[in-house]
Amino acid sequence: MTDPDVLTEVPAALKRLAKYVVRGFYGIEHALALDILIRNPCVKEEDMLELLKFDRKQLRAVLNTLKGDKFIKCRMRVETAPDGKTTRHNYYFINYRLLVNVVKYKLDHMRRRIETDERDSTNRASFKCPICFSTFTDLEANQLFDPRTGTFRCTFCETEVEEDESAMPKKDARTLVARFNEQIEPIYALLRETEDVNLAYEILEPEPTEIPALKQSKERAAGTGSGAAAGLAGGHHREAWTTKGPSYEDLYTQNVVISMEDQEDLNRSASEGKPARERPIWLRESTVQGAYDPDEIKDG
């Protein structure tokens, strides 16, 4: 018998928390990948590749980033194909309990980092010597003060020091912390709302499931392939696009007509009805002067 306080379905607040965090601190590719895992409990890497249309290397880089930050988890399973070959597949899912703890830790770490950086900036050097470039903090101001001249002088070269404006804090620490709390307030509200949520084990560690859209497309593709194979096996079946051009059978079918008629008859029939043309001069006699003597031709 299950505990009535244990939830068997992920609350909407937890899903909104995951969406807010990934959209606020990550890129659009990470948001798209996490959206698939929010809608589907446990998804195979190949199915995510089919839905997102990413390159495999790009998808793995996105998933490794989310996995390294503990936002998602990975489970590997060995599956056996119908032909007996075994393959390994990676399945990704969200452990929402781990997600909440990671978000709390990271937000607290960011807030502490802001406070530490601003507190350290107030303790930096406030005075600088223009000659020897020595720096001094506010706590060393009593050592720099010269009662004779009423000025602050360097303890090394006794040159009057100047205030170091570059070392001054750019903003007040309280202003940055207040701005951080204001911007992160929606996430804080969701964390307070999901503080006492207790999820069942099958929700935290879900089993692999098929995506309905991909399942329907695979069934439709399988039905189309089986129908085409049945049509080819039952008789002559030709796709619509094959009628636009010659097929392989047409390439080897040639209609050749061989005529046995005499070539002279063909030439005679072709020349009938046309006036005889005069032969050109270069066929009747040579046009080169001195090539031969007409008297020699007569003797010959």
Side-chain angles (χ1 to χ4, degrees), residues 216-249:
Q216 293 177 2
S217 63
K218 290 178 181 178
E219 291 176 353
R220 192 180 303 112
T224 303
S226 61
L232 289 174
H236 295 285
H237 177 75
R238 180 177 295 181
E239 297 291 341
W241 57 269
T242 58
T243 59
K244 296 181 181 180
S247 63
Y248 288 106
E249 297 176 358

Side-chain angles (χ1 to χ4, degrees), residues 274-290:
K274 295 183 179 179
R277 291 183 298 178
E278 185 180 1
R279 296 177 63 187
I281 188 173
W282 51 270
L283 288 177
R284 289 185 281 111
E285 60 182 13
S286 175
T287 58
V288 180
Q289 296 181 0

Side-chain angles (χ1 to χ4, degrees), residues 252-264:
Y252 295 98
T253 302
Q254 299 180 1
N255 297 324
V256 180
V257 179
I258 301 175
S259 177
M260 304 301 294
E261 190 176 2
D262 191 7
Q263 188 68 22
E264 295 181 357

Side-chain angles (χ1 to χ4, degrees), residues 118-185:
E118 294 302 324
R119 184 170 58 250
D120 292 343
S121 65
T122 58
N123 295 330
R124 293 174 184 170
S126 300
F127 299 98
K128 183 177 181 181
C129 178
I131 302 300
C132 63
F133 301 103
S134 300
T135 56
F136 306 94
T137 62
D138 296 338
L139 300 178
E140 298 173 336
N142 58 344
Q143 302 176 10
L144 303 177
F145 183 71
D146 186 5
R148 295 174 298 176
T149 58
T151 58
F152 293 96
R153 295 187 173 275
C154 177
T155 57
F156 298 99
C157 60
E158 295 186 357
T159 305
E160 185 176 357
V161 297
E162 299 176 352
E163 188 175 2
D164 190 5
E165 297 180 357
S166 62
M168 298 296 292
K170 302 297 184 297
K171 294 182 180 179
D172 189 5
R174 293 173 298 177
T175 304
L176 290 178
V177 173
R179 184 181 178 184
F180 172 78
N181 292 332
E182 180 183 356
Q183 293 179 350
I184 307 299
E185 179 57 31

Side-chain angles (χ1 to χ4, degrees), residues 167-224:
M168 298 296 292
K170 302 297 184 297
K171 294 182 180 179
D172 189 5
R174 293 173 298 177
T175 304
L176 290 178
V177 173
R179 184 181 178 184
F180 172 78
N181 292 332
E182 180 183 356
Q183 293 179 350
I184 307 299
E185 179 57 31
I187 298 180
Y188 282 150
L190 291 174
L191 288 175
R192 289 191 295 266
E193 186 177 349
T194 58
E195 184 68 28
D196 299 328
V197 172
N198 189 14
L199 297 177
Y201 178 79
E202 57 270 15
I203 300 299
L204 297 177
E205 299 288 336
E207 291 296 326
T209 56
E210 285 193 75
I211 300 177
L214 286 180
K215 185 178 180 180
Q216 293 177 2
S217 63
K218 290 178 181 178
E219 291 176 353
R220 192 180 303 112
T224 303

